Amino acid sequence: MEAQAIRHKCAEAALNDMAEWLDTEGEVGVFDATNTTRQRRDFIMQFCGKRGYKVFFVESVCEDPDIIESNILEVKLNSPDYRKGDRDDAIRDFLQRIAHYIDAYQSIDEQADKDLSFIKIINVGSRFLVNKVTGHLQSRVVYYLMNIHIIPRTIYLTRHGESNLNLQGKIGGDSDLSERGWCYSKALSKYMEGQKLSDLKVWTSQFKRTVQTASHIDAPIEQWKALDELDAGVCDGLTYEDIQSQHPEEFALRDQDKYHYRYPMGESYQDLVARLEPVIMELERQKNVLVICHQGVMRCLLAYFLDKNSDELPYLKCPLHTVIKLTPVAYGCRVETVPLNVEAVDTHRPKPEVVEIGRAELDALSTVPPYPVALDSESGEKVSKLASSRSESEDSDGVFEKEIMVTS
């Protein structure tokens, strides 16, 4: 009884913390706890009902002994509770936990709990029971939970090969690959062939540079409009120098809040995240997929899988001619960065120190990466040549270290 009282106090404290957050800045709270009895669930409903919160229960029930054994070996032993302990001791302890919960567990019941909003997931998605789903958010949660799976898989992310506009330092557009970009297309095909994936699918945007990058790969290729690069609106096809010259105020505003800033007649990163939701949902359903996309799009996808926030997302480094290999594992994602040793320009622009409107041109352009060919925007004639292309085989600026574990 004393232990139950302690657990109840802990649950109440956690709910109070969540309520304080929801009442100040939060929109959605996840109360992750062992709400295994009707008494506990009634308490949660009363607590949230007084505050006008909608409640949606998610229950996962597993009775398949093979799935339970696999879960213990692949998931629980890597959890913070057991990661540093003896393997056999951890297995025995967790089996004792399961036996304890069986004695006290009261599963959500279709009749007894008919007034609750819930989804019941049975044997890791072999069956579902969904009840009283209300509102857009709950329906999206149901859609997500019904589409994820635990089948081992790998997601390969890469940008298109270097384009002719990359060489000129221009953003957006729909140009062809450069000579080095075509070299990367062939190197990527060879790399994917070496992965020996008979079920590989390739997704590209509808822009030429991604389609051309995929053209040597022997696998089904699907074009997604949703994978098109962030729309730069009136700044599409301009260099950063052009943007500073023609739209200095917009350039500064974007540096002040890159995630929420929307280009005139274009998009923001926030817009792009919303556009990519169907892509992410479909990625969760698939097995092995290679996504050939763009810098902004790749940042959004990486932020989702690596749990990066909106401040970090717009500045994630995604170098050209590099494959980022994501393998979902328990409590996170294993990340491997694979440069394919084809030189390319650097397109990453860090946030400058000075972001105020009216800043000096030198401050505005202080972090613009150098590019080998600069053309006059009106005449198209070459006006400078910067010797600063880099080899991805030498240094990828520590995008992610090879073979690291990133936990959520």
Side-chain angles (χ1 to χ4, degrees), residues 194-252:
Q195 297 297 291
K196 302 185 184 304
L197 301 170
S198 60
D199 59 352
L200 177 68
K201 293 182 180 179
V202 180
W203 295 356
T204 73
S205 74
Q206 294 188 344
F207 286 133
K208 288 187 291 186
R209 54 194 184 273
T210 63
V211 176
Q212 291 171 354
T213 303
S215 60
H216 290 94
I217 300 173
D218 183 18
I221 299 174
E222 183 177 349
Q223 294 182 21
W224 284 70
K225 176 69 175 173
L227 285 172
D228 286 357
E229 179 59 302
L230 187 152
D231 186 349
V234 298
C235 297
D236 189 67
L238 301 181
T239 65
Y240 289 120
E241 292 86 352
D242 292 334
I243 299 172
Q244 170 60 22
S245 174
Q246 299 173 30
H247 310 282
E249 184 174 325
E250 295 295 334
F251 201 34

Side-chain angles (χ1 to χ4, degrees), residues 170-378:
K170 294 183 176 181
I171 65 173
D174 189 18
S175 70
D176 293 308
L177 294 180
S178 68
E179 183 177 344
R180 294 188 300 197
W182 280 110
C183 288
Y184 179 68
S185 174
K186 295 175 182 177
L188 179 63
S189 173
K190 184 177 180 180
Y191 170 75
M192 295 309 301
E193 183 180 350
Q195 297 297 291
K196 302 185 184 304
L197 301 170
S198 60
D199 59 352
L200 177 68
K201 293 182 180 179
V202 180
W203 295 356
T204 73
S205 74
Q206 294 188 344
F207 286 133
K208 288 187 291 186
R209 54 194 184 273
T210 63
V211 176
Q212 291 171 354
T213 303
S215 60
H216 290 94
I217 300 173
D218 183 18
I221 299 174
E222 183 177 349
Q223 294 182 21
W224 284 70
K225 176 69 175 173
L227 285 172
D228 286 357
E229 179 59 302
L230 187 152
D231 186 349
V234 298
C235 297
D236 189 67
L238 301 181
T239 65
Y240 289 120
E241 292 86 352
D242 292 334
I243 299 172
Q244 170 60 22
S245 174
Q246 299 173 30
H247 310 282
E249 184 174 325
E250 295 295 334
F251 201 34
L253 288 172
R254 189 165 197 260
D255 283 338
Q256 290 174 16
D257 186 359
K258 194 174 180 181
Y259 181 79
H260 295 100
Y261 170 84
R262 180 180 290 120
Y263 282 107
M265 300 178 65
E267 291 179 302
S268 66
Y269 269 100
Q270 187 177 38
D271 296 329
L272 183 57
V273 167
R275 167 152 62 90
L276 287 170
E277 182 182 342
V279 176
I280 292 170
M281 290 290 190
E282 191 62 26
L283 273 175
E284 291 287 7
R285 298 180 60 211
Q286 297 293 327
K287 294 182 181 178
N288 298 305
V289 181
L290 166 64
V291 182
I292 303 175
C293 53
H294 306 268
Q295 183 167 246
V297 171
M298 190 166 169
R299 283 170 172 162
C300 295
L301 295 177
L302 279 175
Y304 169 77
F305 285 105
L306 304 184
D307 195 24
K308 301 296 182 180
N309 62 39
S310 60
D311 291 329
E312 298 171 291
L313 182 155
Y315 296 102
L316 292 175
K317 292 182 180 179
C318 302
L320 289 165
H321 299 178
T322 300
V323 177
I324 295 183
K325 183 177 177 181
L326 303 175
T327 306
V329 294
Y331 300 98
C333 215
R334 192 181 68 176
V335 186
E336 182 181 352
T337 299
V338 186
L340 296 192
N341 301 335
V342 179
E343 286 191 352
V345 294
D346 182 3
T347 64
H348 182 77
R349 177 178 175 261
K351 184 175 182 176
E353 292 184 6
V354 181
V355 298
E356 290 78 14
I357 294 174
R359 62 189 170 175
E361 181 177 302
L362 188 63
D363 290 327
L365 301 176
S366 62
T367 61
V368 172
Y371 44 90
V373 181
L375 302 180
D376 183 87
S377 58
E378 294 184 1

Side-chain angles (χ1 to χ4, degrees), residues 22-40:
L22 287 172
D23 291 341
T24 53
E25 57 180 316
E27 295 182 7
V28 179
V30 179
F31 184 58
D32 184 12
T34 51
N35 306 308
T36 53
T37 65
R38 286 195 177 84
Q39 183 179 7
R40 170 66 70 83

